[in-house]
Amino acid sequence: MAKGRVSRIFVHALPGRPSRGMLHVGLAAFPCALGRGGIRCDKREGDGATPRARLPLRRVFFRADRLVRPQVLRPVRAIGPEDAWCDDADDRRYNRLIRRPPGPAEERLARADHLYDTIVELGWNDAPVRRRRGSAIFWHGARDGFTPTAGCVAIRIADFAKILPRLSRQAVMVVR
């Protein structure tokens, strides 16, 4: 990848494969997984779609027990065992980081697999939060084979180390 800060990340689906895509950062391109519902303008809770939108990068979360702190110009937070994301549209904390005791909960951030070793919180349905318009839209690690997500954008965990240091403070992800 060329040197310099990048302010826009572009994401698009591959022709004929709505849940697979490419993520472009400057002149570099990376394969990515998208939501099982493809890319949609009218995102709803539980539809499995990745929202077609300009998504500001909010915060970066990481597993301090597995990775070193990412080099990025965004706020960074280590994931704790009680961290979860509220995806209950009837809860007043909908689409926000919450604390839960270990065990079953909403969108648990401390996962046994490696999908959430690095998470970038994307600014979807958060200013203001609207009920049932979708929650927990992240940029995170992909499964082997880039199988579909529940609406997030997913790349190889190793690719985060190449991309995050290049991003400007104002970086946004444009999903189209």
Side-chain angles (χ1 to χ4, degrees), residues 91-129:
D91 191 309
R92 64 178 173 75
R93 304 168 301 167
Y94 178 61
N95 200 25
R96 290 186 176 83
L97 178 68
I98 61 173
R99 296 186 58 80
R100 297 284 302 223
E106 288 82 356
E107 186 74 25
R108 178 80 47 203
L109 301 188
R111 296 171 57 128
D113 61 21
H114 293 276
L115 300 183
Y116 283 6
D117 284 3
T118 300
I119 306 169
V120 179
E121 174 190 353
L122 298 174
W124 172 254
N125 190 28
D126 63 346
V129 173

Side-chain angles (χ1 to χ4, degrees), residues 65-100:
D65 58 329
R66 296 178 177 171
L67 301 171
V68 298
R69 185 183 193 278
Q71 298 300 309
V72 64
L73 297 177
R74 307 291 327 138
V76 178
R77 183 181 189 286
I79 295 170
E82 296 180 342
D83 289 339
W85 204 267
C86 183
D87 59 7
D88 179 353
D90 295 321
D91 191 309
R92 64 178 173 75
R93 304 168 301 167
Y94 178 61
N95 200 25
R96 290 186 176 83
L97 178 68
I98 61 173
R99 296 186 58 80
R100 297 284 302 223

Side-chain angles (χ1 to χ4, degrees), residues 160-174:
F160 276 111
K162 299 172 192 168
I163 298 170
L164 292 178
R166 296 268 332 276
L167 300 178
S168 73
R169 288 188 193 282
Q170 299 80 25
V172 297
M173 180 178 286
V174 179

Side-chain angles (χ1 to χ4, degrees), residues 2-166:
K3 299 293 180 201
R5 298 282 180 199
V6 175
S7 61
R8 287 195 178 94
I9 301 162
F10 294 98
V11 175
H12 64 87
L14 295 175
R17 302 191 67 190
S19 64
R20 289 285 305 270
M22 292 301 291
L23 182 140
H24 299 268
V25 180
L27 299 175
F30 303 88
C32 67
L34 302 170
R36 68 181 180 280
I39 297 173
R40 296 187 53 158
C41 294
D42 58 343
K43 170 78 183 137
R44 298 284 180 212
E45 187 68 42
D47 65 3
T50 300
R52 179 183 310 272
R54 180 183 173 278
L55 304 168
L57 309 183
R58 300 287 191 220
R59 290 179 281 189
V60 177
F61 297 87
F62 77 106
R63 289 288 300 266
D65 58 329
R66 296 178 177 171
L67 301 171
V68 298
R69 185 183 193 278
Q71 298 300 309
V72 64
L73 297 177
R74 307 291 327 138
V76 178
R77 183 181 189 286
I79 295 170
E82 296 180 342
D83 289 339
W85 204 267
C86 183
D87 59 7
D88 179 353
D90 295 321
D91 191 309
R92 64 178 173 75
R93 304 168 301 167
Y94 178 61
N95 200 25
R96 290 186 176 83
L97 178 68
I98 61 173
R99 296 186 58 80
R100 297 284 302 223
E106 288 82 356
E107 186 74 25
R108 178 80 47 203
L109 301 188
R111 296 171 57 128
D113 61 21
H114 293 276
L115 300 183
Y116 283 6
D117 284 3
T118 300
I119 306 169
V120 179
E121 174 190 353
L122 298 174
W124 172 254
N125 190 28
D126 63 346
V129 173
R130 293 173 291 166
R131 305 279 182 207
R132 294 170 183 60
R133 287 299 307 262
S135 63
I137 302 299
F138 302 132
W139 176 21
H140 62 73
R143 290 181 184 89
D144 290 339
F146 293 95
T147 58
T149 69
C152 299
V153 175
I155 62 171
R156 289 182 197 99
I157 286 288
D159 291 339
F160 276 111
K162 299 172 192 168
I163 298 170
L164 292 178
R166 296 268 332 276

